[in-house]
Amino acid sequence: FFYLHFLSPYVNLTPQHSCLFDLYALILNSLLRARAYPGKASHISIHFHSTDNGLILKLTGFNQHLLKYLETILKIMYNFQINEENTISWKQELKDEYFKELINSKKLIKHVRLYLMKGIWWPVFEKIHFLNHITHKQIIDFSILFRSNLTLNILVSGNVTAKVIHLHFFFLHFNY
């Protein structure tokens, strides 16, 4: 399996950054779902979710296919291209998720706990306000900003040598 944690200092900088990050994570999930079907046929499981300081990607399955899917996922992240028509539907989907958060007490407790522990918490109603004014260009700019100061923590387990992983990530680093 591969376990990657993409850390960025821009995730919860302001309420607008937090909203843009939520939208970015939603769009990445949507783009990955579109390409994930062949992976399910190959018994590959892709779990991608956001945290308070970045994104977590879990890839599990047969080792010979994992590197190919990891490369595809990184290509989607680094060649982030979306059209304006889909942006409207993604914004509406995120707005619906925010409204569900407003009525879910477990999510509220989690956010209050984050605020008390880390001083990071942006109320959902502030995010909804910013979501209404986010443009297509701001999403693209945030994807570039997110990648500009990215720290990557990787955990790999399976029949893969360290040399193969180093070579693969070295190759990916210079191609994106």
Side-chain angles (χ1 to χ4, degrees):
F1 70 87
F2 286 90
Y3 184 90
L4 290 86
H5 195 176
F6 301 92
L7 303 166
S8 177
Y10 303 109
V11 171
N12 280 319
L13 203 58
T14 65
Q16 187 173 10
H17 281 92
S18 181
C19 183
L20 282 165
F21 173 69
D22 291 344
L23 191 57
Y24 179 68
L26 178 83
I27 292 169
L28 282 177
N29 269 323
S30 179
L31 295 174
L32 287 176
R33 269 185 265 138
R35 301 222 181 150
Y37 180 74
K40 289 186 188 239
S42 302
H43 302 287
I44 292 177
S45 174
I46 302 169
H47 300 284
F48 192 69
H49 64 276
S50 59
T51 65
D52 60 324
N53 57 1
L55 296 169
I56 292 179
L57 170 68
K58 294 179 187 177
L59 268 173
T60 57
F62 297 120
N63 287 339
Q64 66 268 22
H65 302 293
L66 287 179
L67 287 173
K68 292 176 189 175
Y69 274 92
L70 179 61
E71 185 176 339
T72 301
I73 291 166
L74 293 176
K75 280 182 185 179
I76 290 171
M77 285 182 73
Y78 284 91
N79 299 324
F80 188 76
Q81 295 176 359
I82 56 172
N83 57 27
E84 290 190 45
E85 294 81 31
N86 289 343
T87 303
I88 296 167
S89 63
W90 283 317
K91 284 172 56 175
Q92 184 60 46
E93 187 177 341
L94 184 60
K95 186 185 267 187
D96 293 344
E97 284 183 24
Y98 283 161
F99 284 129
K100 287 177 189 174
E101 276 187 39
L102 281 174
I103 60 173
N104 187 348
S105 61
K106 290 180 183 177
K107 295 260 186 175
L108 179 62
I109 291 168
K110 176 187 169 191
H111 290 298
V112 170
R113 191 177 318 132
L114 279 173
Y115 176 70
L116 293 174
M117 289 176 19
K118 295 187 175 186
I120 300 171
W121 181 63
W122 305 111
V124 175
F125 58 85
E126 281 188 38
K127 291 182 183 183
I128 291 171
H129 172 73
F130 284 110
L131 183 61
N132 293 329
H133 304 292
I134 288 177
T135 64
H136 176 75
K137 184 178 178 347
Q138 286 176 315
I139 299 168
I140 299 296
D141 291 344
F142 181 80
S143 73
I144 294 167
L145 181 68
F146 179 78
R147 295 186 319 255
S148 68
N149 195 6
L150 195 63
T151 302
L152 182 62
N153 294 332
I154 305 171
L155 175 64
V156 179
S157 178
N159 296 331
V160 180
T161 63
K163 184 177 181 180
V164 169
I165 296 299
H166 284 289
L167 287 173
H168 194 72
F169 278 99
F170 181 76
F171 170 76
L172 289 174
H173 175 72
F174 285 107
N175 284 328
Y176 300 111

